[in-house]
Amino acid sequence: MEARVTANSQAYRVKERMEQAEVRHGQEIRADLPGIRVRASAGAWLGARQGDRGEVFFCNMGAIRLRRVTIEGDQKALPNAALVQGLNVPVEGTYDLVNALVRSNGDLRVIVDEVTEVVRSEARGGLRGNAPVPMFSLPVES
């Protein structure tokens, strides 16, 4: 299911976690984002699924682990809006995004690309505890 940010996603939590990780406006980073919840979209709850869509929820998101900064930022305030691109999961659940690309200019954009791993979080596992259980992994180019 393709997961998207909606008005119910609590995007302010992404901003809080980025501020805690000392991410600045305009930066482009690689980071691990634990505890992203994906649920079937509200339309799917009320009737037949339309396009296999899901909603992203950041309410239980853990601390961001910064891997590297690829573009330096500035001292402006982080944007309030959040977007997620390329997050496709097989079923509802909680996922960790490992080595995701994050851009903080105009909006807080979390991008799942060819080097990002999406792993299903266990109730007490994932990046916050035990080793994550891989759902799928894309090859990394050298």
Side-chain angles (χ1 to χ4, degrees):
M1 98 180 47
E2 182 181 5
R4 301 213 176 232
V5 174
T6 68
N8 297 321
S9 295
Q10 298 182 341
Y12 71 91
R13 294 288 292 156
V14 176
K15 183 178 179 181
E16 285 176 358
R17 292 299 190 189
M18 290 190 127
E19 288 170 343
Q20 290 169 356
E22 299 181 5
V23 175
R24 297 191 321 252
H25 176 272
Q27 275 187 327
E28 179 178 281
I29 63 170
R30 286 279 173 184
D32 299 339
L33 290 79
I36 308 281
R37 178 97 176 127
V38 178
R39 299 203 57 196
S41 64
W45 296 332
L46 301 174
R49 289 186 182 265
Q50 294 181 4
D52 201 24
R53 295 184 184 134
E55 283 182 276
V56 173
F57 293 94
F58 299 111
C59 50
N60 294 320
M61 183 178 163
I64 293 173
R65 181 176 156 234
L66 185 63
R67 288 176 169 257
R68 74 174 186 267
V69 175
T70 54
I71 296 176
E72 291 298 328
D74 53 42
Q75 299 302 316
K76 295 180 184 176
L78 286 174
N80 293 318
L83 282 143
V84 174
Q85 279 181 238
L87 180 57
N88 290 287
V89 296
V91 295
E92 291 184 338
T94 302
Y95 294 87
D96 298 332
L97 307 183
V98 180
N99 201 29
L101 179 62
V102 181
R103 295 181 177 146
S104 59
N105 191 14
D107 52 34
L108 300 173
R109 188 172 302 253
V110 177
I111 302 167
V112 176
D113 62 10
E114 65 278 354
V115 298
T116 305
E117 288 184 69
V118 178
V119 292
R120 182 93 185 251
S121 297
E122 297 296 320
R124 290 171 291 159
L127 294 173
R128 292 184 252 186
N130 301 328
V133 177
M135 290 302 295
F136 54 88
S137 178
L138 298 170
V140 178
E141 284 188 35
S142 297

